[in-house]
Amino acid sequence: MGIPLLKGMDVERLRHAGRAAAGTLAHVAARLAPGISTADIDMWVREDTARRGGTPSQLGYKGFPAAVCTSRNHVVCHGIPRPDERLAPGDIINVDVTTCLGGFHGDTSATFLIGEVSAEARHVVDVARRCRDAGVAVVRHGARLGDIGAAIEELARQEGCSVVSEFGGHGIGHQMHLPPHVSHVGRRGTGITLRSGMVITIEPMVNLGRPEIRVLPDGWTVLTEDGSLSAQFEHTVLVTREGCEILTPAPPAGEML
């Protein structure tokens, strides 16, 4: 399957989907606190996505049973919300929201601190955010896909962290997952050449310990093999001649959440 190059109204629809996903993520973020359950987060995502005129892209995708991924502490990704899983002071949690609106998908996530957290938790969350931003910073027409992974991996190593290689970003548009696969490890100057109009997600999963992972018997929940903390941040980005446009920006201050 080829990599679609989007323009015109398709890009505008992508912007709407991306902003809707970012708005829902902000809506959830404002309500996170000790004692709430990850099932509460799932309910909030369903309600807020509907309020914005969209549907949760993840719900039912390959059988996924929820509208959002909630990945807490040593869960790397694809955590399934549960009524018996409650946030506690010191936790970190990644909330991964994908919204389908107008036939296009917007995908974004962030990792949040719950109450007072350890210095190690604060460190891995900060590094994961900066790794995402380092990957975004190299995106432009003519760059190579390997440039993204190299920038992310170099920063993580400098900060004493590791990057999960088994999962990565992806193309996105009419479907939630499209080519290309966007590795978050790599070598500069390798991989396909990015072209204006491509839309990809950059979503590095950064571990405080080693990069190895394991998957629970539910077939979804991914854990760090060594039990170390893991954090992730994600944007959907449009490749442009000048660089890139972030399609999932945080809502402006004062916007309705």
Side-chain angles (χ1 to χ4, degrees):
M1 182 184 295
I3 301 171
L5 302 178
L6 303 183
K7 58 184 179 180
M9 285 304 301
D10 284 349
V11 171
E12 189 57 32
R13 292 186 182 101
L14 266 172
R15 288 190 184 105
H16 287 309
R19 288 169 183 161
T24 294
L25 183 62
H27 174 81
V28 169
R31 289 156 177 76
L32 295 177
I36 71 108
S37 73
T38 50
D40 292 331
I41 297 173
D42 183 74
M43 178 182 66
W44 296 338
V45 168
R46 292 176 191 239
E47 292 173 349
D48 192 70
T49 302
R51 177 168 67 89
R52 297 173 192 273
T55 57
S57 306
Q58 297 177 34
L59 183 60
Y61 177 77
K62 294 186 177 181
F64 189 73
V68 62
C69 296
T70 52
S71 303
R72 179 171 160 252
N73 294 334
H74 64 295
V75 179
V76 174
C77 62
H78 304 160
I80 300 172
R82 305 194 318 264
D84 62 345
E85 181 181 39
R86 295 192 175 274
L87 301 186
D91 282 346
I92 63 173
I93 184 166
N94 177 269
V95 179
D96 188 339
V97 173
T98 313
T99 298
C100 182
L101 181 65
F104 286 85
H105 300 263
D107 194 357
T108 187
S109 84
T111 301
F112 302 99
L113 311 177
I114 306 302
E116 291 297 320
V117 304
S118 67
E120 292 80 9
R122 192 173 297 275
H123 178 66
V124 73
V125 171
D126 177 65
V127 173
R129 176 186 51 77
R130 290 193 286 129
C131 281
R132 178 205 59 190
D133 293 346
V136 170
V138 302
V139 175
R140 60 174 175 78
H141 180 85
R144 303 290 289 273
L145 202 58
D147 299 344
I148 298 172
I152 290 168
E153 190 174 21
E154 288 165 8
L155 176 56
R157 284 180 174 173
Q158 289 170 9
E159 295 291 348
C161 295
S162 63
V163 180
V164 173
S165 61
E166 288 87 345
F167 296 93
H170 50 86
I172 189 168
H174 285 291
Q175 298 177 42
M176 180 167 60
H177 288 158
L178 290 168
H181 172 73
V182 181
S183 177
H184 298 128
V185 299
R187 292 187 298 111
R188 295 182 187 276
T190 65
I192 66 166
T193 300
L194 300 179
R195 297 176 59 191
S196 179
M198 289 182 179
V199 183
I200 58 175
T201 69
I202 297 178
E203 48 182 301
M205 302 162 198
V206 176
N207 296 349
L208 191 61
R210 295 188 54 79
E212 290 81 14
I213 60 172
R214 62 186 177 93
V215 183
L216 290 185
D218 63 23
W220 287 105
T221 308
V222 180
L223 310 180
T224 57
E225 181 64 42
D226 62 7
S228 65
L229 295 173
S230 186
Q232 180 188 21
F233 286 81
E234 176 183 11
H235 272 319
T236 298
V237 299
L238 168 70
V239 181
T240 68
R241 290 280 176 182
E242 298 76 24
C244 71
E245 177 186 346
I246 295 174
L247 299 176
T248 48
E255 181 175 299
M256 180 183 69
L257 300 181

